[in-house]
Amino acid sequence: MPRADRVTALLPDVAYRRWLHLRHLRRPLPLRRPRTFTEKVAWRILRDRREELAWTADKLLMKERVAALGLDLVVPRVHWSGTDVGDLVGVDLPAAGWVLKPNHGSGHRGLLFG
């Protein structure tokens, strides 16, 4: 892990979000009066903890909810889910074209197989 990542991982959520905003957009993050879409998204990430929004951050739960709507949408198939990658031994996976992704965050690169 690069040194900057180790340091920023120790920051409280608000400080980390301010640092990200400054690093990528080259301007401070005004959390008291957000004006742009990006600023409002940052505010919501930090401040809006309503339970009815929590499911939107869970990839597996989101797929279940979308599938339950019965719309004509293509929802990628989940071949396996679990907490220990070692449990993948013996799982019947396609020979090609599948991705291993974490459910707990966004922006992580999945591993493409095949």
Side-chain angles (χ1 to χ4, degrees):
M1 180 183 291
R3 181 173 161 71
D5 290 342
R6 288 192 307 253
V7 172
T8 57
L10 301 173
L11 293 173
D13 291 343
V14 172
Y16 177 70
R17 191 60 50 184
R18 287 182 183 278
W19 175 81
L20 274 179
H21 194 84
L22 187 62
R23 178 177 173 221
H24 292 285
L25 299 174
R26 307 282 188 232
R27 64 178 185 268
L29 174 61
L31 289 174
R32 285 205 173 112
R33 291 200 176 113
R35 293 191 178 121
T36 68
F37 177 76
T38 303
E39 293 165 359
K40 290 177 182 183
V41 168
W43 181 91
R44 179 161 262 177
I45 287 170
L46 293 168
R47 304 283 188 237
D48 193 351
R49 300 295 182 171
R50 290 178 290 160
E51 188 59 36
E52 62 262 24
L53 296 176
W55 65 271
T56 64
D58 184 317
K59 291 180 188 82
L60 295 172
L61 191 52
M62 178 69 95
K63 286 183 179 193
E64 287 176 23
R65 287 196 130 175
V66 167
L69 292 174
L71 302 174
D72 188 23
L73 297 172
V74 176
V75 178
R77 182 171 168 228
V78 176
H79 296 285
W80 172 84
S81 68
T83 57
D84 184 357
V85 179
D87 293 342
L88 272 170
V89 175
V91 174
D92 186 25
L93 295 170
W98 58 275
V99 177
L100 180 64
K101 295 179 74 174
N103 188 51
H104 66 281
S106 64
H108 302 287
R109 292 190 178 151
L111 301 174
L112 177 62
F113 292 88

